[in-house]
């Protein structure tokens, strides 16, 4: 019998995903946009009985819309595969009972599926440092500045043309700040789904890592020497790394230290061994006392329609087939 699924969302990822599903003989029974009325959505679920729902909406709120869709689906016994970040950044507590029915690899790391990789290394049972590049758009922009000699404005414009920017970005300042908001949400999803045992974190605890026009001017002059990196450590002492301007930090969250910001490459030789290029995302894990347990790196494409839909399809096959 032909597999039947449905898609929530009407953007580029939804369209790309629909084409890939149909090419594999998977029937998309219905597609709706984010504004579809909730009662009629539940009636639609009962009528069409899809075997899975793909949730591809952007985070234009605090994840409430995605949370409500996910809960409606899983309560109806229908697995959800999502690339939306807000629900698991702000509402993991409400979604915790249903995590085994939710495919969320595409929320962090693009096509790398880094959440599964890190969880599979059982890092909560070891002394580790975890460093991650989790925003492909920012990585692309600063790679272009360093490797191709582009100005910050040119690199931002190229990122927009290629579809790597968050919705609503129409100039370098709004683009960078939109991506920084994305970094905060992904940091929360990473912690809440992979590292947290009891206490969860939300973006409100970090505040905004917002850049001003003056910050951006300085970053434009020096940006080729920086990359956006997020670090998680449960070591007794945590090394302080050099950052450009502002950073975000949370300490003693279930024994974890979380820091993130623009890290200087030239003063942190450790970065050069694993940093991805272009739109890449990567996670670098140092295990044991002074790295005695080894170093492990996973990298891959972190932005774009193809990597995102590939991660979602992999989750779909694991959950439903």
């Amino acid at each position: 019998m032909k597999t039947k699924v449905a898609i929530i969302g009407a953007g580029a990822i939804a369209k790309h995903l629909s084409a890939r599903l149909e090419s594999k003989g998977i029937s998309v029974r219905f597609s709706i946009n984010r504004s579809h009325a909730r009662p009629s959505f539940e009636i639609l679920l009962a009528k069409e009985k899809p075997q899975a729902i793909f949730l591809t909406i952007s985070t234009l709120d605090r994840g409430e819309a995605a949370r409500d869709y996910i809960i409606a689906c899983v309560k109806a016994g229908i697995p959800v595969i999502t690339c939306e970040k807000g629900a698991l950044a702000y509402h993991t507590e409400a979604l915790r009972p249903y995590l085994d029915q939710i495919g969320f690899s595409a929320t962090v790391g693009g096509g790398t599926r880094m959440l599964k990789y890190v969880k599979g290394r059982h890092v909560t049972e070891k002394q580790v440092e975890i460093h991650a590049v989790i925003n492909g758009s920012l990585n692309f922009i600063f790679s272009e500045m360093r490797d191709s000699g582009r100005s910050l404005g040119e690199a931002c414009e190229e990122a927009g043309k290629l579809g790597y920017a968050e919705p609503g970005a129409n100039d370098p300042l709004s683009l960078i700040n939109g991506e920084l908001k994305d970094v905060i949400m992904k940091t929360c999803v990473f912690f809440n789904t992979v590292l947290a045992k009891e206490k969860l974190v939300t973006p409100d605890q970090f505040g905004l890592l917002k850049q001003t026009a003056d910050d951006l001017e300085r970053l434009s002059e020096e940006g080729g020497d920086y990359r956006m990196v997020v670090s998680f450590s449960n070591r007794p002492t945590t090394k302080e790394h050099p950052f450009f301007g502002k950073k975000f930090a949370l300490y003693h969250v279930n024994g974890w230290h979380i820091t993130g910001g623009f890290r200087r490459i030239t003063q942190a030789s450790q970065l050069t061994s694993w940093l991805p290029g272009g739109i890449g995302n990567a996670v670098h894990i140092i295990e044991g006392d002074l790295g005695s347990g080894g170093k492990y790196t996973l990298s891959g494409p972190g932005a774009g329609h193809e990597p995102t839909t590939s991660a979602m399809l992999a989750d779909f096959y694991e959950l439903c087939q």
Side-chain angles (χ1 to χ4, degrees):
M1 189 170 70
K2 196 170 185 179
T3 303
K4 301 184 298 183
V5 301
I7 298 174
I8 304 171
I13 289 176
K15 293 172 184 175
H16 193 78
L17 179 61
S18 180
R20 291 193 66 180
L21 288 165
E22 294 286 0
S23 73
K24 295 177 181 296
I26 298 170
S27 173
V28 179
R29 297 295 293 177
F30 64 86
S31 296
I32 60 173
N33 62 33
R34 66 183 301 126
S35 61
H36 194 90
R38 199 73 74 249
S40 62
F41 171 66
E42 293 170 0
I43 293 170
L44 198 56
L45 286 182
K47 178 185 176 183
E48 296 292 345
K49 296 182 173 58
Q51 290 161 270
I53 295 286
F54 289 88
L55 181 59
T56 68
I57 62 175
S58 301
T59 307
L60 303 180
D61 51 13
R62 291 163 59 91
E64 294 92 347
R67 175 201 62 197
D68 293 346
Y69 276 124
I70 291 170
I71 289 175
C73 293
V74 295
K75 283 188 173 180
I78 302 170
V80 180
I81 298 92
T82 181
C83 61
E84 192 275 343
K85 282 88 65 177
L88 286 167
Y90 287 98
H91 308 289
T92 308
E93 190 67 55
L95 297 175
R96 250 182 172 175
Y98 313 110
L99 286 182
D100 61 348
Q101 300 174 64
I102 306 170
F104 49 86
S105 291
T107 60
V108 181
T112 65
R113 305 185 83 211
M114 70 168 63
L115 299 178
K116 284 187 171 290
Y117 174 77
V118 178
K119 196 173 184 69
R121 294 212 58 80
H122 305 287
V123 293
T124 58
E125 301 166 16
K126 310 169 185 176
Q127 189 179 100
V128 295
E129 283 181 28
I130 303 169
H131 305 287
V133 170
I134 54 177
N135 183 283
S137 304
L138 289 174
N139 202 64
F140 172 82
I141 289 166
F142 291 97
S143 290
E144 285 291 292
M145 293 173 69
R146 184 177 179 87
D147 300 334
S148 302
R150 291 180 187 253
S151 68
L152 180 60
E154 289 173 329
C156 287
E157 184 176 358
E158 186 67 11
K161 286 179 181 177
L162 293 171
Y164 299 154
E166 287 292 301
N170 50 27
D171 60 80
L173 186 60
S174 62
L175 191 157
I176 295 292
N177 282 328
E179 299 305 329
L180 291 174
K181 182 179 178 182
D182 177 77
V183 169
I184 297 290
M185 286 195 292
K186 287 177 177 176
T187 298
C188 294
V189 176
F190 191 114
F191 182 82
N192 291 341
T193 61
V194 176
L195 305 179
K197 290 188 175 179
E198 296 176 3
K199 189 175 180 181
L200 302 170
V201 297
T202 70
D204 295 332
Q205 291 169 263
F206 294 101
L208 293 175
L209 190 63
K210 194 171 183 179
Q211 303 293 305
T212 66
D214 287 342
D215 293 331
L216 215 60
E217 186 65 37
R218 289 177 51 222
L219 197 54
S220 181
E221 294 172 0
E222 305 180 55
D225 291 334
Y226 291 89
R227 294 288 185 86
M228 173 55 63
V229 178
V230 178
S231 299
F232 308 84
S233 173
N234 63 1
R235 296 187 185 283
T237 57
T238 302
K239 180 181 177 181
E240 288 295 329
H241 300 285
F243 287 88
F244 173 89
K246 303 168 187 173
K247 66 175 182 178
F248 64 81
L250 276 183
Y251 299 104
H252 308 300
V253 184
N254 301 143
W256 290 92
H257 308 274
I258 308 171
T259 56
F262 288 108
R263 285 265 301 274
R264 186 185 290 275
I265 299 174
T266 54
Q267 295 182 11
S269 59
Q270 177 198 89
L271 292 177
T272 61
S273 67
W274 65 271
L275 271 178
I279 62 164
N281 278 191
V283 62
H284 182 66
I285 306 172
I286 305 169
E287 298 185 0
D289 187 28
L290 298 175
S292 59
K295 298 179 180 180
Y296 306 87
T297 301
L298 173 75
S299 64
H305 310 148
E306 188 70 23
T308 301
T309 55
S310 291
M312 296 182 80
L313 285 170
D315 280 353
F316 166 69
Y317 291 129
E318 286 186 2
L319 281 171
C320 303
Q321 297 187 344

